[in-house]
Amino acid sequence: MPDSTLITHPLAPVWNEESKVLLLGTMPSPKSRQLGFFYMHPQNRFWRVLSQVFSENLALPNNAADTQAAIRERRDFLLRHKLALWDVLASCQIEGASDSSIRREIPNDFSKILSESKISRVFFTGQKAASLWKKHCAALYEERFHLQVHTLPSTSPANARFTIDDLIEEYQIVHESTLS
C-alpha cells in the first residue's frame, strides 16, 4: 500500500454569479492535480456522463495542447450550464486517489461561492464527498444558504457497479436542477 501524503487542494473552484448547482467531489486525483483540472483521469467517467446529460460533446485530450483546450472547454461548459465545481476538502492526508484512505481532512470554505451565486442545490459525486460534507460543512451552510443536497454515484472506474448508462440516468437530476 502506498504511503499517504498530505495534499493541499491545488485547483480553484469553477463558478460564477449565475451558478445554480454545485458539484462536489472529495479531492482531485493525482492525475487531475498533474493536469490541472477536475476529473481529468481518462478512466473517470465524469465528463462523459455530463456531456451526455447535457447533450454536448466534450473532446478527450491526447496531448498537452489538447489538455489545455479541454480544460477551457470544460470550464466554459460548466459555466454555460450554470454549474459550479469544486471539492469538499482543502487538504487531507490520502493514499493516491483512494477516498477510503482520507484522514486529517480540512474542508474548503464555501461562504464566498454560496453568498455570491444562485446555488441552491449541491450534488456530491460519491458517498465519501457526502459524508465529509456532513461531517464538516452541513451545519455551517445548509440552513444558512437554504441548500438542498443530494448524493450521486461516483464516476470513478472503481465504482464498476454503475455502468455509464446507469450514471447518465442518475446524473439527469443535475440537468433538471439547472432548468428551474
Side-chain angles (χ1 to χ4, degrees):
M1 188 172 267
D3 290 334
S4 60
T5 305
L6 184 62
I7 301 294
T8 299
H9 200 299
L11 307 176
V14 178
W15 69 283
N16 66 19
E17 304 78 25
E18 297 302 313
S19 298
K20 289 182 165 187
V21 170
L22 175 58
L23 296 162
L24 290 175
T26 53
M27 175 65 71
S29 70
K31 188 68 166 178
S32 292
R33 294 191 307 265
Q34 174 194 346
L35 295 176
F37 202 64
F38 302 89
Y39 300 100
M40 293 302 281
H41 192 288
Q43 298 303 312
N44 193 297
R45 300 170 288 176
F46 181 83
W47 293 112
R48 284 182 281 161
V49 168
L50 279 188
S51 67
Q52 290 296 310
V53 165
F54 285 90
S55 301
E56 288 194 30
N57 290 325
L58 293 172
L60 295 173
N62 294 316
N63 55 46
D66 284 355
T67 298
Q68 290 309 306
I71 290 170
R72 285 190 300 277
E73 179 184 41
R74 283 155 174 71
R75 186 181 308 280
D76 291 345
F77 171 91
L78 292 166
L79 297 177
R80 185 170 59 256
H81 292 291
K82 300 181 180 178
L83 300 172
L85 180 61
W86 207 14
D87 289 303
V88 175
L89 298 180
S91 70
C92 68
Q93 199 162 355
I94 187 170
E95 296 170 7
S98 172
D99 279 358
S100 64
S101 73
I102 290 174
R103 54 188 201 277
R104 294 184 50 209
E105 63 268 8
I106 297 172
N108 274 312
D109 181 350
F110 296 93
S111 300
K112 181 176 175 71
I113 292 173
L114 295 172
S115 64
E116 296 180 13
S117 71
K118 298 177 181 178
I119 293 169
S120 62
R121 299 287 307 264
V122 178
F123 291 95
F124 307 105
T125 62
Q127 293 290 334
K128 187 65 172 190
S131 69
L132 291 167
W133 172 272
K134 185 175 182 179
K135 179 179 178 181
H136 297 290
C137 304
L140 293 172
Y141 302 112
E142 286 182 23
E143 187 176 328
R144 178 178 167 203
F145 292 102
H146 312 287
L147 300 175
Q148 294 178 30
V149 299
H150 184 84
T151 304
L152 295 166
S154 171
T155 57
S156 165
N159 186 16
R161 193 178 106 206
F162 283 85
T163 67
I164 190 82
D165 289 336
D166 294 336
L167 291 169
I168 290 166
E169 186 175 326
E170 292 283 336
Y171 276 69
Q172 287 295 333
I173 191 171
V174 173
H175 184 246
E176 293 162 9
S177 297
T178 63
L179 300 175
S180 56

